[in-house]
Amino acid sequence: MVRRRAPALRAAAEPLQGGFGSALVITALFGGIVAGLAVAVPVGAVGALIVMTGAHRGWRVAAGGGLGAATVDALYASLAVIGGSAVTAAVGSVATPLRWVAGLVLLVLGAMMLRSGWRSRSGTTDAGPSRLFGTAGRAYVSVFGVTAINPATVIYFAALVAGGAVVEPTAASGTAFVLGVLIGSAAWQLVLAAGGSFLGAALVGDRGRRWTAVIGGALTMLLAARILIGS
């Protein structure tokens, strides 16, 4: 009986190999979560921008921006899974121009934030940052664009994939890895948004929010300058 049933059991199990219930897929999912956290936790210019948006505009708007950054991380993880070393080579050939573009865009955003806070001290208003970060949708698009021109992200994920972060080269494990990256990155971005909103709540009044914009703009400009110098 055992010999007769064993082939049937193996045949029934075959469709599950590489499926979403397999240990390999679960490993890829958790590997993606760790990778998403690893790329998101080091707070750079985008992270600082999300924190200061939370302090100046509230959690909802900052969360929209954070999800924009997480979406880019997931998309770049998808490119790395699909293209691997070919994607790394393609992005590497334009890495320096992209870093210059990213640095300049962040420099402009930081200047707009700084100008907004400084002008509001004299009683005049500046709608520049409001156009970019006035709503969650606009913040999503703005941060998505800034994050998308950072070539280091896709190179990082391509290196992980080449190193075996996705255990098996199957559609299921690759999808699980990308989903994990989205979960890990989004979780941290929402933490940054919450931290910024708590900071904004602590700095009660227009004066506190004005100085938040000034400090956030100055910090963003400094981090942008670091990107430009590193290029």
Side-chain angles (χ1 to χ4, degrees):
M1 288 294 288
V2 175
R3 291 182 179 178
R4 291 178 182 176
R5 297 170 83 178
L9 290 173
R10 283 197 298 271
E14 283 177 0
L16 295 178
Q17 297 300 317
F20 283 97
S22 71
L24 295 178
V25 171
I26 293 173
T27 300
L29 176 65
F30 280 101
I33 292 174
V34 172
L37 286 170
V39 78
V41 167
V43 178
V46 173
L49 197 60
I50 292 169
V51 171
M52 293 306 168
T53 300
H56 200 58
R57 298 291 175 187
W59 182 83
R60 183 173 179 177
V61 176
L67 292 177
T71 302
V72 173
D73 289 342
L75 288 175
Y76 278 170
S78 300
L79 286 176
V81 168
I82 295 170
S85 59
V87 173
T88 303
V91 173
S93 64
V94 293
T96 299
L98 285 177
R99 275 196 294 269
W100 273 98
V101 172
L104 291 173
V105 169
L106 287 167
L107 196 63
V108 171
L109 287 175
M112 290 173 66
M113 291 175 63
L114 184 62
R115 181 170 180 261
S116 173
W118 193 260
R119 284 172 61 89
S120 64
R121 293 176 71 243
S122 59
T124 58
T125 57
D126 187 358
S130 298
R131 288 196 298 269
L132 293 172
F133 300 101
T135 66
R138 289 176 181 174
Y140 178 93
V141 173
S142 299
V143 177
F144 181 98
V146 172
T147 310
I149 52 181
N150 179 11
T153 305
V154 67
I155 294 174
Y156 163 78
F157 286 124
L160 282 181
V161 171
V166 179
V167 180
E168 291 290 332
T170 64
S173 60
T175 302
F177 178 76
V178 172
L179 178 61
V181 168
L182 179 63
I183 292 171
S185 179
W188 182 252
Q189 307 297 352
L190 293 178
V191 168
L192 292 180
S197 66
F198 283 129
L199 176 63
L203 299 173
V204 179
D206 293 337
R207 183 176 181 181
R209 292 187 180 274
R210 284 196 299 267
W211 279 109
T212 298
V214 170
I215 295 171
L219 180 60
T220 302
M221 291 180 70
L222 285 173
L223 292 171
R226 181 182 175 186
I227 293 173
L228 292 172
I229 293 171
S231 299

